């Protein structure tokens, strides 16, 4: 019994690194969203297509403020994940999913960047969903 209990915290501690990685990536992705949003608001000519060529025909001002707001929220939730808050982990997985969907609609404007963000969102979802419970077990 003592060997099983001795192994359990070590295994949990190993997987806790994934959750910390997810939290750090959320803060970084939130900052990326905020910058991307500000670029869309202040320099709409930066993107490859005009708003009529987008999946959702909203103006770049609308996209910009959406991404800026999403970025601020993602940074805050990422800090909550780093603090070990289980609710923040769940919210982080949901926000990463919303971010991936938003970038899926944004692919025509900036394809490579959008695909990179979608992949990082999927990694964050994996880290928070697959290994979130281990954080509670380690703490």
């Amino acid at each position: 019994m003592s060997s099983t209990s001795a192994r359990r915290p070590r295994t949990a501690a190993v997987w806790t690194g994934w959750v910390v990685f997810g939290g750090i990536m959320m803060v970084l992705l939130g900052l990326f969203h905020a910058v991307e949003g500000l670029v869309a608001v202040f320099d709409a000519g930066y993107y490859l297509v005009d708003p009529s060529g987008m999946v959702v025909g909203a103006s770049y001002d609308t996209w910009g403020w959406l991404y800026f707001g999403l970025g601020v929220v993602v940074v805050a939730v990422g800090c909550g994940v780093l603090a070990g808050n289980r609710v923040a982990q769940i919210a982080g997985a949901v926000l990463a999913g919303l971010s991936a969907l938003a970038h899926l609609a944004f692919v025509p404007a900036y394809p490579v960047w959008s695909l990179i963000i979608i992949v990082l969102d999927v990694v964050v979802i994996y880290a928070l969903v697959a290994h979130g419970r281990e954080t509670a077990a380690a703490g």
Side-chain angles (χ1 to χ4, degrees), residues 48-77:
L48 298 176
V49 298
D50 59 49
S52 63
M54 299 285 286
V55 175
V56 177
S59 72
Y60 280 118
D61 283 339
T62 304
W63 280 110
W65 290 116
L66 172 78
Y67 279 126
F68 182 76
L70 180 64
V72 170
V73 172
V74 169
V75 167
V77 172

Side-chain angles (χ1 to χ4, degrees), residues 3 8 14-15 19 29-30 33 47-48 59-60 62 64-65 79 83 91 93 97 99 102-103 113 123-124 126 129:
S3 64
R8 187 179 274 163
V14 170
W15 292 119
V19 178
L29 286 168
H33 285 316
Y47 295 103
L48 298 176
S59 72
Y60 280 118
T62 304
W65 290 116
C79 290
S99 168
H103 274 88
W113 180 252
V123 171
V124 167
Y126 170 76
V129 171

